[in-house]
Amino acid sequence: MRQLLLLLPLQIIVSTLGGSLPSTKMSTFDAPIVDILWLGADRRKVLLNTQKGTLYESLDDGRDWEQKSVHSLKVARLIMSAANASTVVAVGFRLEVFASVDAGTTWKEVVHPPGIRLSFMFHPTRANWALLSVWTEDCRLSLPGSPCTHKLLATEDLGAKPLKPISAHVVQFSWGRGDYADTIFYTHIKDKSKRQSILSKWMEGVDFVASTDFGESKTTLVPGGNKFVISEKFILVAQAKDVSAQTVNLKVSTDGSWFRKVGKRLAYVQ
Ligand SMILES: *[C@@H]1O[C@H](CO)[C@@H](O)[C@H](O)[C@H]1NC(C)=O
């Protein structure tokens, strides 16, 4: 059993209740901890990053710690694949992305378009598949006409080959679940000639779409679909109905392709 107590922000006390007496050891880090991951097939390798971007590694379930360098990266986030506990991604302060398939022993850069904000989402069951999105650098400028856009890209080899562009002007995106886990679902603004702004109310001109071939083609599933929720059993989409009154229809699908309006029968869906 591992037991981890985070006491003071800079300190971590780890007790291992292995034998008859618990043994305790204290470690000090340079700043509060941001992410902490137990990696590898046996989950004994622990990786953490602090608010200063320093990476620490423990090979013995958190007893002894060493500072670690991934190409001198200052690490903002650590993300582990749900499909394989040896696959991990480190995102740097300047949005550099490095991926490791050996629990953080070796790292390779995932080259992506520059941006001011970045999201990374592993596929739920395929460790080397991921979605990555960036808000382009133009979004920082308030100049009208700067082509600010939220770009979505995908990889099936953790960035070994160039990322595949899926769409620009993306509002929300996700892998599917279950039978349609390999489908990329997203909402996007159809008119890509204007700067993209953050969706703050229900809008016309936003569609809910799916791509089953890594962006080669897409199918519009719910025209006017602004926001969505994907669960193991169904997909719910909020479709703009009357944007002046700010009302929506809820659409539901249990097969990832056919959507019907949610009405009185909602009780049967769960
Ligand atoms: C996870 O990935 C490693 C390295 O790529 C591989 O050796 C291992 O078999 C994978 N584990 C699972 C559970 O798929």
Side-chain angles (χ1 to χ4, degrees):
M1 259 315 260
R2 76 170 71 93
Q3 197 180 6
L4 187 83
L5 302 168
L6 304 182
L7 294 185
L8 299 168
L10 297 185
Q11 288 172 332
I12 177 171
I13 294 179
V14 177
S15 307
T16 25
L17 303 166
S20 49
L21 280 176
S23 67
T24 306
K25 192 170 155 89
M26 193 172 334
S27 308
T28 306
F29 304 111
D30 67 351
I33 295 162
V34 178
D35 297 306
I36 178 162
L37 297 175
W38 279 264
L39 299 171
D42 58 4
R43 303 287 186 108
R44 286 182 60 82
K45 185 157 167 181
V46 197
L47 214 56
L48 69 78
N49 62 315
T50 66
Q51 279 177 9
K52 285 191 175 163
T54 314
L55 197 63
Y56 292 86
E57 178 186 79
S58 166
L59 299 175
D60 53 6
D61 205 10
R63 284 180 55 77
D64 301 293
W65 292 90
E66 250 182 43
Q67 222 173 293
K68 195 170 157 69
S69 173
V70 176
H71 304 265
S72 311
L73 191 70
K74 288 218 175 290
V75 180
R77 295 304 310 267
L78 287 170
I79 308 159
M80 188 179 85
S81 159
N84 188 318
S86 297
T87 302
V88 59
V89 151
V91 181
F93 281 6
R94 297 195 319 206
L95 307 185
E96 314 93 316
V97 177
F98 281 83
S100 170
V101 295
D102 52 12
T105 308
T106 59
W107 297 82
K108 279 201 183 121
E109 185 160 16
V110 178
V111 177
H112 61 79
I116 56 166
R117 274 180 61 194
L118 180 141
S119 313
F120 187 95
M121 186 186 289
F122 275 113
H123 185 280
T125 57
R126 300 180 191 269
N128 292 336
W129 289 27
L131 295 173
L132 183 153
S133 79
V134 287
W135 284 85
T136 56
E137 288 178 312
D138 306 299
C139 302
R140 200 186 337 245
L141 312 166
S142 47
L143 299 170
S146 305
C148 163
T149 185
H150 184 209
K151 279 186 191 167
L152 177 62
L153 304 105
T155 176
E156 3 181 24
D157 51 22
L158 274 182
K161 291 200 290 292
L163 302 185
K164 290 188 186 163
I166 305 296
S167 177
H169 278 51
V170 168
V171 178
Q172 190 191 348
F173 63 88
S174 179
W175 294 108
R177 294 282 182 283
D179 291 343
Y180 42 88
D182 293 351
T183 302
I184 301 167
F185 293 97
Y186 60 96
T187 49
H188 72 119
I189 297 170
K190 281 189 288 182
D191 177 5
K192 306 200 193 311
S193 65
K194 298 193 195 76
R195 280 174 69 85
Q196 182 173 3
S197 53
I198 310 259
L199 198 72
S200 58
K201 54 187 168 77
W202 304 116
M203 267 176 57
E204 269 166 358
V206 180
D207 283 348
F208 175 68
V209 304
S211 178
T212 52
D213 53 11
F214 270 72
E216 299 280 322
S217 68
K218 64 173 187 290
T219 309
T220 299
L221 297 176
V222 181
N226 274 223
K227 290 266 178 182
F228 63 95
V229 178
I230 298 183
S231 77
E232 289 297 327
K233 295 260 161 60
F234 56 86
I235 302 178
L236 263 182
V237 180
Q239 178 185 45
K241 183 181 174 189
D242 178 343
V243 292
S244 52
Q246 284 292 292
T247 55
V248 291
N249 288 322
L250 276 185
K251 293 281 182 93
V252 68
S253 172
T254 48
D255 65 1
S257 58
W258 187 73
F259 284 79
R260 64 175 175 78
K261 202 169 150 185
V262 178
K264 293 198 178 83
R265 291 163 69 81
L266 177 63
Y268 300 115
V269 174
Q270 291 143 6

